[in-house]
Amino acid sequence: MVGRGAQVEGSLVTTGSLWIAGRIKGEISVEGQVTVAPDSEVEADIKAGSINLAGRVNGNLIAPGSVELPAQSQVKGDVRAKSVSVHGAVEGNVVAEQKVELGPAARLQGDVTCTALVIAEGAVFQGRSIMAKAASS
């Protein structure tokens, strides 16, 4: 846990899960889930089993599981996961082995590679959609 008001610079590595409510600059590698609370700021690539990000991240997100980006999330970087649900803002490419879902408040500027793409009414998508049997790495 990185609590509200805490600032970390460097690499964070754990076999468990990580909850972030402060600021991190560096690299994050977690076998479990990473949860980034609203008002948090992360300048790091995040590699985790799954990611739920409600804050701001400047870096790439990589997960063999799911990546959930609620309405208040902001990502500047690429997202690579089994499935991706975007309800916030992403500036970068999204690659999913399975489905990418863009909710009604989603704003995605970048290309999407996946096997299924769902775009809700109201979502903004600027980029290319590449449909594939299996997303390329």
Side-chain angles (χ1 to χ4, degrees), residues 80-81 95-98 113-115 130 132-137:
R80 183 176 302 271
V95 177
E97 291 176 25
Q98 296 177 353
T113 303
C114 60
T115 58
I130 302 159
K133 288 183 182 178
S136 60
S137 296

Side-chain angles (χ1 to χ4, degrees), residues 23-122:
R23 293 179 177 214
I24 295 180
K25 184 175 184 176
E27 288 185 34
I28 299 170
S29 182
V30 175
E31 287 184 22
Q33 178 170 322
V34 169
T35 301
V36 180
D39 300 324
S40 298
E41 293 184 24
V42 176
E43 287 187 49
D45 288 343
I46 300 175
K47 296 177 185 174
S50 63
I51 300 169
N52 188 324
L53 189 148
R56 292 188 304 238
V57 170
N58 186 359
N60 300 315
L61 307 179
I62 301 167
S66 65
V67 172
E68 301 288 330
L69 304 171
Q72 63 272 41
S73 63
Q74 297 177 15
V75 177
K76 288 187 180 182
D78 294 339
V79 179
R80 183 176 302 271
K82 184 174 186 178
S83 64
V84 180
S85 178
V86 180
H87 296 273
V90 176
E91 289 182 37
N93 298 323
V94 175
V95 177
E97 291 176 25
Q98 296 177 353
K99 180 169 74 171
V100 173
E101 180 180 357
L102 303 180
R107 295 176 317 281
L108 173 60
Q109 185 175 11
D111 295 341
V112 173
T113 303
C114 60
T115 58
L117 176 60
V118 178
I119 303 175
E121 185 175 347

